[in-house]
């Protein structure tokens, strides 16, 4: 058996860390080489991983079983390679290190079985520690980025009667009405370092422009084709619009936006810069709201893509203007929709 | 001759190697050590070439390691062995040239770059003991494990092989039952070598040469694709390459050495030069005949020797690099006990334990029907083979993936499933099982080549390492694909004894050299013997490097004088 243990501190409260790690799809997306994670049920998932070793690239399917979701302190899991006699497991142990800090320990093990067990372990050994190291490093970075700004509360668990919760509820309801709530549970992710060539940058640029145009014309369906299933937007700033929005909220917002702004945003693109997995777009809106006011905000959006899909958008725009012009309209509309 | 000089050069050296396998690296090292400047250009993003893909065997008759072990041998004996088996398809001077220079080149690199080699014990020549001048051991050499961390930033840019267990030496493999008996290997050794990144076999051999180049501060440029030679009207003076999509002109004051392996990834060249129809390949996608395209431009002559198709298969989920399926050679697995190779009629057609026999039989054309009677073909084995032996990367005991092979509970059902003559296969297996009882295969003499017993059999099995009956269900069949030679090919550029490319007028083309698998195999004719290829790469690099640096070897002339030729 080969074992590894990694300890590190995440600069975020334990509950925020838990909010991130309780989604197994997120774990998969952090594992270098993980191409797909199909969620089977609450406990089981099947990961497709491409491992480069020994002069070849090998695709392995791994069945991961979370035996215990014991948040926010502990997750126990086991895994099994589908075609190779290799099994393993591990646990995630978190403890509060302070109001904004969480101690995390990751214990991992891998074990060969059958007559060739020593060979499987010999082959796995040099891969195991770097892989565990890369995984933990990304876990820390991603969580810190994820909780770096106040998170937009989820409609399901906000419990509070805050205005944000009202907005989210309104958007979600609209989205469900439009899309019928269908959402695949499979997500795709890819090594962050992959696809850095120019061709990819150009393709990424086209995806982003398609997304902005779809957003500008309130075409949620087209915008959705540009997004990874685990995509999120992160509106920077400190006003009411700041925060994270996930896939369904993003698409719902775009579809709903035409009710607020019947003209569409009418984006006038000023610059597009693409490099490796990032595309940065500066643009200005030229819109009129449903109550006839001009809404001409200025935007800079930083898109991160993987595998031809948008994974993350950091949005910078004037939140003061947005609050002044859009917020009263949203409040009025939310009040008009009966609670379900 | 053409004249296509550029307005300006981007890089200049006396000797420019195209290709970073053994041939290109050895030419650069030798040129440098003979006072010339050198540079190595590599098309892909990794160096080491096909040398790094190989088992790393270096076959050199009359080498000093054998002598130190008290094994009686000579370069002359090696020459006679090759000449006899070449069937007259080679050139005597080319064979003698290789025979006299290989031991010298070996010693040269050991002395100069710290290459550490040893004799592989117990590994016989292919044709031992069937022909004169064959030896039971001593001609096969391999590199001692190379600490790849010493390559610094080039550690991970130096190729390793998906095809060979490069963390074990031959002796370590043989001492624990050979390739067939992986189940008995000492994996603590493998684990330690992998952890420390100590490389054996081809990856180790190639790494020594890469280190030699790095130690000399010879520029080693990856991502540089040679597009055309630059000729000044009378001699080759450089080349136009592309780098990052832009032209990159490299001036070669003394010579360009083309050492880019073969053409097997070019299906048209494989068909028309190699007579191989749609072969799969185990080498890198870039091995596509660049030498023929480049040297052809300067009027270089191409020659062909009788050559064979190999056989391969693909294990699902394995890629050589992103998007390129990995094909594995079937050679080591066909002669294992409990395994036969059959054609559509369900009949064996060769000594499966000696791949020269398999592959020549494979390419036979039946003139009466204008068909290849032995292709397609299938490896058929039983669950005893599956329990004990690997099949490619499929380890003993591992389940047969549906995409790889067919499984059935009886031989008849298996034949039916794969579309092979049912009675034919049943009769073949019954007869074969009978041979296994006596230990004698009267049809194809399986087990009579000691090399095949060791490399394609289970050496622990008595009385015959290559025989074992197919008895225990389930039974398996794997359809095999025609495979090119792993860089070893029928046709190449003709070279003289200094490795200068030769034109159709039989005159050397000034400033143009070829090395390794890019060179027509007139130094071995109809014969191939593993380990010759790496020896050729080293020797050609040595000869080309010396000549281009103005210090050509005169050994061939001396030897011809001595032998009165």
């Amino acid at each position: 058996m080969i074992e590894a243990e990694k300890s590190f501190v995440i600069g975020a409260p334990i509950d925020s860390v838990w909010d991130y790690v309780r989604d197994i799809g997120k774990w998969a997306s952090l594992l270098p080489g993980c191409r797909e994670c199909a969620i089977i049920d609450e406990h089981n998932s099947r990961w497709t991983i491409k491992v480069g070793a020994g002069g070849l690239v090998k695709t392995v399917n791994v069945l991961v079983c979370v035996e215990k979701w014991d948040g926010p302190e502990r997750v126990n899991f086991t895994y099994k390679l589908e075609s190779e006699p290799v099994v393993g497991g591990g646990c995630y142990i978190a403890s509060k290190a302070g109001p904004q800090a969480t101690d995390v320990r990751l214990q991992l093990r891998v074990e060969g079985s059958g007559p060739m067990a020593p060979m499987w372990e010999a082959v796995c050994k040099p891969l195991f520690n770097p892989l565990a190291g890369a995984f933990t490093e990304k876990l820390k970075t991603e969580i810190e980025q994820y909780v770096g700004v106040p998170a937009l509360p989820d409609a399901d668990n906000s419990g509070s009667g805050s205005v944000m919760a009202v907005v989210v509820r309104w958007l979600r309801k609209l989205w469900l009405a439009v899309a019928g709530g269908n959402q695949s549970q499979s997500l795709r992710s890819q090594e962050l370092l992959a696809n850095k060539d120019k061709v990819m940058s150009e393709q990424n640029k086209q995806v982003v422009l398609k997304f902005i145009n779809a957003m500008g014309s309130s075409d949620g369906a087209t915008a959705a084709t540009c997004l990874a299933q685990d995509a999120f937007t992160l509106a920077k700033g400190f006003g009411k619009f700041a925060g994270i929005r996930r896939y369904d909220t993003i698409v719902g917002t775009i579809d709903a936006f035409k009710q607020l702004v019947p003209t569409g945003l009418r984006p006038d693109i000023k610059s597009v810069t693409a490099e490796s997995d990032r595309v940065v777009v500066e643009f200005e809106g030229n819109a009129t709201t449903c109550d006839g006011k001009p809404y001409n905000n200025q935007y800079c959006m930083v898109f991160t893509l993987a595998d031809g899909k948008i994974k993350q958008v950091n949005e910078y725009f004037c939140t003061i203007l947005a609050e002044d012009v859009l917020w009263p309209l949203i409040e009025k509309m939310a009040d008009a929709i009966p609670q379900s | 001759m053409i004249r296509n000089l550029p307005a300006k050069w981007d890089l200049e050296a006396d000797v420019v190697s195209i290709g970073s396998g053994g041939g290109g690296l050895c030419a650069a090292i030798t040129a440098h050590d003979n006072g010339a400047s050198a540079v190595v250009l590599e098309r892909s993003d990794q160096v080491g070439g096909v040398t790094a893909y190989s088992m790393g065997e270096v076959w050199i008759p009359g080498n000093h390691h054998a002598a130190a072990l008290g094994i009686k041998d000579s370069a002359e004996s090696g020459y006679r062995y090759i000449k006899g088996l070449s069937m007259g398809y080679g050139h005597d001077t080319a064979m003698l040239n290789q025979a006299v220079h290989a031991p010298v080149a070996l010693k040269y690199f050991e002395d100069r770059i710290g290459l550490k080699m040893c004799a592989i014990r117990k590994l016989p020549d292919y044709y031992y003991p069937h022909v004169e001048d064959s030896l039971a051991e001593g001609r096969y050499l391999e590199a001692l494990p190379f600490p790849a961390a010493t390559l610094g930033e080039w550690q991970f840019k130096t190729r390793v092989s998906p095809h060979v267990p490069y963390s074990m030496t031959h002796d370590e493999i043989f001492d624990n039952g050979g390739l067939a008996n992986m189940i008995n290997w000492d994996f603590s050794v493998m684990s330690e070598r992998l952890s420390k990144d100590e490389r054996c076999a081809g990856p180790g051999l190639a790494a020594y040469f890469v280190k030699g180049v790095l130690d000399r501060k010879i520029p080693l440029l990856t991502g540089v694709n040679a597009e055309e030679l630059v000729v000044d009207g009378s001699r080759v003076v450089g080349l136009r390459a592309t780098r990052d999509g832009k032209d990159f002109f490299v001036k070669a004051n003394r010579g360009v050495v083309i050492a880019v392996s073969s053409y097997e990834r070019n299906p048209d060249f494989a068909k028309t030069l190699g007579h191989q129809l749609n072969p799969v390949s185990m080498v890198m996608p870039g091995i596509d005949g660049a030498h023929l395209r480049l040297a052809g431009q300067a009027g270089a002559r191409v020659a062909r020797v009788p050559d064979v198709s190999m056989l391969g298969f693909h294990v699902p989920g394995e890629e050589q690099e992103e998007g390129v399926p990995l094909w594995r050679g079937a050679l080591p697995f066909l002669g294992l006990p409990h395994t036969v190779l059959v054609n559509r009629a369900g009949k064996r057609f060769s000594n499966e334990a000696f791949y020269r026999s398999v592959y020549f039989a494979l390419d036979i054309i039946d003139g009466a029907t204008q068909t290849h009677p032995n292709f397609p073909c299938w490896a058929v084995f039983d669950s005893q083979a599956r329990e004990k032996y690997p099949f490619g990367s499929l380890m003993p005991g591992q389940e047969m993936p549906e995409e790889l092979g067919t499984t059935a509970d009886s031989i008849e059902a298996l034949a039916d499933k794969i579309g092979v003559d049912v009675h034919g296969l049943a009769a073949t297996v019954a007869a074969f099982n009978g041979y296994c009882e006596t230990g004698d295969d009267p049809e194809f003499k399986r087990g009579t080549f000691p090399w095949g017993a060791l490399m394609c059999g289970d050496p622990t099995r008595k009385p015959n390492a290559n025989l074992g009956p197919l008895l225990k269900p389930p039974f398996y069949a794997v359809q095999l694909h025609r495979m090119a030679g792993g860089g070893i090919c029928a046709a190449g550029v003709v070279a003289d004894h200094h490795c200068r490319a030769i034109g159709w007028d039989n005159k050397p083309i000034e400033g143009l050299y070829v090395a390794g698998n890019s060179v027509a195999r007139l130094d071995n004719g109809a014969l191939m013997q593993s380990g010759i290829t790496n020896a050729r790469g080293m020797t050609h690099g040595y000869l080309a490097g010396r000549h281009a640096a103005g210090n050509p070897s005169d050994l061939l002339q001396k030897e011809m004088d001595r032998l009165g030729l």
Side-chain angles (χ1 to χ4, degrees), chain A residues 50 54 56-59 83 119, chain B residues 161-162 166 187 317 319 322 398:
Chain A
K50 279 200 171 187
L56 76 155
V57 181
K58 173 132 177 108
T59 303
S83 306
M119 185 206 76
Chain B
S161 175
Y166 61 84
F187 288 104
E319 289 168 295
E322 187 72 46
Q398 224 180 320

Side-chain angles (χ1 to χ4, degrees), chain B residues 1-5 230-237 510:
Chain B
M1 272 236 181
I2 45 176
R3 189 181 161 82
N4 57 350
L5 292 167
V230 172
V231 182
D232 72 356
S234 63
R235 59 174 287 141
V236 174
V237 294
E510 293 298 321

